[in-house]
Amino acid sequence: MSTTWWSRLSKQEEEDQDDRASESQLSEKHIKKQLHDDPDLNPGELTFEEDTAGGLGRYLGVTSCTLLIVGRIIGTGIFSTPSSILSGVGSVGASLMLWVLGFLLSFCGLFIWLEFGTMFPRSGGEKVYLEAVYRKPKYLATFMSHFGSVFGVNWSFIKVFASNILVAAGKIADRWNERGIALAVITFVTLLHGLTPKAGVVIMNVCKFDFYTIILFNIFLAGAFDIQNHNSAIRRHHRLGSSTSSNDYATATFKVLNAYAGWSNVNYVMNNVRDPVRTLKIAGPLGLGICAVLYLLANVAYFSAASKAQIEATGVTVAALFFKNVFGSVAERALSVFVALSALGNVITVTFAASRVNQELAKEGIPLPFGNKFWASNWPTGKSPLPGLIIHLIPSVIVIIAPPPNIVYPFILDVEGYPQQIINFFIVIGLFYLRWKKPNAVRPFKVWWPLAVFFLAAAVFLLVAPFLKPANGVGDTPPLPYYLYCLVGISIMFAGVLYWAAWRILLPKVFGYELVPRKERLDDGTVVTVFSNKKMQ
């Protein structure tokens, strides 16, 4: 009887898998047909088949994609930003409220990106979605999306790696030993993904699953045992000292959203995802849901084991302070090693996704030094975009070397957040426009519109509130003006507009030529758009 029951169950599971596979293949077939029949829905110059050609192909499944999201989200933020968030809003209650708000906003954003990602299952993320909506002026959306993510570099993660490694070694961090470690790490990760792509994915998955889960589980467990600590912040300061400044809450929210950043990570590498529509719909909510639960438990544990003053004074080593208070100084050093390794896993994850976005930019024919064909290629292995990794390496090195290290961490977090909110604003507007303009387009997933409205309202608030004066009058990056990160973010986006105008308008007008596109297939199978200058008569 048991054998009969098992055979029936196995048969049913096989039929369910076949049904899901058939449904997914049907969705992807409809999407390809839709993009072929309606050129207005095709982002950029390349067709779906041309854009997905080359490289290792589709080799990331549900597990790898879920870990890609979990690894990007749980990287350094939960181990390092709670202190600056608490300092900004002034109370434990307000801080926990922002972590819950960040979770809700992230889920709203995830569902919006799910609708776009299942409509356009190709690598590039925001670049693809903006190109699909804002088609004129041509390529302006491409430049805006890329310049908006130019500060999505690894310094904030490498800073945590370097700081915790020095704590573990019993060394004092100074201006240059942190930078030396940072340069070594980003160079290693670039070569890892560029020369041994499969090994890079394996190491990425191992770092993400093992270190993050162990650390967060232990933090929660220790916090549960330490909840009776009468000096804990959650018992003594849960409501005292809450800020009344919109600027403080907006700036702190940027840091919370940065800690949740990564829910869209799979959207950037869709060309490498097996069964992309089905995989994205499963991995996105699963990965973000896991991280949200662990984040809230970790925050409760932090506030249970230390006082408000202790947490505010920790800087980027709040997790190490937690273990010191609960287990002693030896555990503090051991925990610092694990946090450093988790930060390394985050660097590996971010670099993996960013290189694919850079490759997609080069595929569209955007002018780059030495020609875009080199930067769009999978040189030298034919399987991984080392040139795209180098594009990511260059701004990372600049950010590592240039700013003073004592203010660079909070400042970069803020600068990363502001241009992203500009992009989020246009993404949501584009979602509503596309529903109005193309109501019958194939949408394997459709976000509930009130969630999109809520996400849009949050983006507007986060764009306006940082210009209001904070409660302390100086913000969290003195001596820099509190509004400087907003101006830097706007300047970065404006630089993209200037670059686009010089390429598409100014230089052709001055030198009397027009840009003529053509497509070329590289030796590794990658298809790229190449522009030539045709002299105007």
Side-chain angles (χ1 to χ4, degrees):
M1 182 177 178
S2 61
T3 304
T4 304
W5 176 83
W6 177 256
S7 62
R8 288 178 179 175
L9 179 62
S10 300
K11 184 178 180 181
Q12 183 63 44
E13 288 179 347
E14 290 176 2
E15 290 175 354
D16 291 343
Q17 289 176 357
D18 291 341
D19 290 343
R20 287 194 298 265
S22 299
E23 182 182 351
S24 179
Q25 290 171 2
L26 191 62
S27 295
E28 189 167 339
K29 182 180 179 181
H30 285 162
I31 290 169
K32 290 180 181 179
K33 185 176 185 302
Q34 172 178 266
L35 296 177
H36 181 270
D37 295 343
D38 190 350
D40 288 341
L41 277 175
N42 187 61
E45 294 286 340
L46 302 178
T47 66
F48 180 85
E49 291 78 7
E50 291 170 339
D51 186 68
T52 55
L56 278 175
R58 301 189 182 278
Y59 62 97
L60 299 176
V62 172
T63 301
S64 291
C65 288
T66 302
L67 291 175
L68 193 67
I69 293 171
V70 173
R72 172 60 181 90
I73 296 176
I74 306 178
T76 60
I78 191 59
F79 305 125
S80 52
T81 58
S83 58
S84 61
I85 292 167
L86 178 61
S87 299
V89 298
S91 73
V92 173
S95 179
L96 289 174
M97 179 198 71
L98 286 185
W99 284 99
V100 174
L101 177 63
F103 160 66
L104 296 176
L105 286 174
S106 297
F107 252 107
C108 292
L110 171 68
F111 290 144
I112 294 168
W113 264 245
L114 275 176
E115 178 165 333
F116 274 116
T118 53
M119 282 186 71
F120 309 104
R122 52 205 289 183
S123 294
E126 294 90 353
K127 167 193 170 294
V128 175
Y129 315 145
L130 291 172
E131 287 176 345
V133 178
Y134 304 100
R135 309 185 68 84
K136 294 181 180 180
K138 202 165 188 178
Y139 291 105
L140 179 59
T142 305
F143 279 85
M144 294 286 284
S145 64
H146 189 70
F147 274 76
S149 62
V150 72
F151 264 88
V153 295
N154 285 314
W155 169 241
S156 57
F157 311 125
I158 299 174
K159 160 78 173 171
V160 175
F161 174 84
S163 298
N164 281 277
I165 281 293
L166 292 170
V167 168
K171 303 292 185 182
I172 298 175
D174 62 35
R175 186 182 183 92
W176 293 108
N177 59 8
E178 275 192 349
R179 291 177 175 181
I181 294 171
L183 291 172
V185 168
I186 189 60
T187 303
F188 163 74
V189 172
T190 299
L191 296 176
L192 174 69
H193 279 313
L195 302 179
T196 57
K198 288 188 176 180
V201 172
V202 171
I203 294 173
M204 181 171 65
N205 288 342
V206 170
C207 284
K208 287 180 288 196
F209 183 77
D210 290 347
F211 295 122
Y212 306 158
T213 305
I214 291 171
I215 293 169
L216 287 176
F217 177 75
N218 278 283
I219 286 174
F220 168 64
L221 186 63
F225 280 111
D226 211 56
I227 193 74
Q228 299 304 317
N229 178 5
H230 292 283
N231 290 319
S232 68
I234 204 167
R235 291 173 66 88
R236 295 173 59 101
H237 304 285
H238 60 286
R239 286 181 295 179
L240 297 178
S242 296
S243 173
T244 57
S245 168
S246 298
N247 179 286
D248 290 338
Y249 284 96
T251 302
T253 302
F254 281 131
K255 293 180 175 62
V256 172
L257 293 178
N258 183 274
Y260 277 108
W263 45 262
S264 61
N265 218 28
V266 177
N267 295 68
Y268 300 130
V269 298
M270 291 289 278
N271 290 355
N272 300 122
V273 176
R274 290 197 305 267
D275 200 352
V277 172
R278 174 180 174 270
T279 300
L280 184 62
K281 289 197 287 186
I282 296 174
L286 179 60
L288 180 57
I290 291 171
C291 295
V293 172
L294 292 175
Y295 269 20
L296 294 176
L297 294 178
N299 269 283
V300 171
Y302 288 148
F303 297 137
S304 300
S307 68
K308 179 182 175 183
Q310 285 178 319
I311 294 172
E312 289 178 334
T314 56
V316 298
T317 58
V318 61
L321 167 75
F322 171 84
F323 264 61
K324 179 182 179 181
N325 283 3
V326 177
F327 297 119
S329 58
V330 175
E332 177 189 17
R333 289 193 177 188
L335 187 277
S336 295
V337 174
F338 281 104
V339 173
L341 290 172
S342 73
L344 175 62
N346 201 290
V347 173
I348 295 172
T349 302
V350 171
T351 304
F352 177 82
S355 64
R356 270 64 183 175
V357 176
N358 294 332
Q359 185 181 39
E360 291 302 310
L361 181 78
K363 282 183 183 180
E364 293 293 342
I366 302 305
L368 295 167
F370 311 113
N372 68 297
K373 288 195 291 184
F374 170 72
W375 302 107
S377 72
N378 290 295
W379 178 86
T381 63
K383 298 178 179 180
S384 182
L386 180 59
L389 288 160
I390 294 173
I391 293 177
H392 183 70
L393 174 66
I394 293 170
S396 297
V397 171
I398 293 172
V399 174
I400 287 170
I401 295 175
N406 61 321
I407 62 169
V408 67
Y409 185 72
F411 184 72
I412 290 299
L413 292 183
D414 296 338
V415 171
E416 284 178 0
Y418 199 83
Q420 185 60 50
Q421 292 306 317
I422 298 175
I423 292 174
N424 289 351
F425 175 83
F426 284 105
I427 287 283
V428 181
I429 296 297
L431 178 82
F432 290 126
Y433 173 78
L434 207 57
R435 284 193 181 183
W436 170 72
K437 190 74 173 178
K438 303 287 182 181
N440 298 320
V442 177
R443 292 177 172 87
F445 180 90
K446 199 169 183 179
V447 64
W448 190 37
W449 70 264
L451 298 182
V453 171
F454 177 59
F455 193 74
L456 178 64
V460 172
F461 169 77
L462 292 172
L463 289 174
V464 175
F467 286 100
L468 305 177
K469 194 170 185 179
N472 64 1
V474 295
D476 64 347
T477 56
L480 301 179
Y482 64 86
Y483 51 82
L484 181 62
Y485 74 86
C486 308
L487 298 181
V488 171
I490 294 171
S491 299
I492 291 170
M493 302 293 282
F494 187 64
V497 175
L498 294 179
Y499 193 4
W500 168 84
W503 175 54
R504 296 287 298 181
I505 300 174
L506 182 61
L507 292 179
K509 187 173 183 179
V510 170
F511 294 101
Y513 65 84
E514 61 178 337
L515 296 168
V516 180
R518 70 179 188 279
K519 297 176 184 178
E520 291 189 14
R521 186 177 294 272
L522 306 182
D523 294 338
D524 59 17
T526 304
V527 179
V528 300
T529 301
V530 180
F531 285 92
S532 56
N533 300 338
K534 181 181 178 181
K535 198 72 175 177
M536 297 179 64
Q537 301 297 327

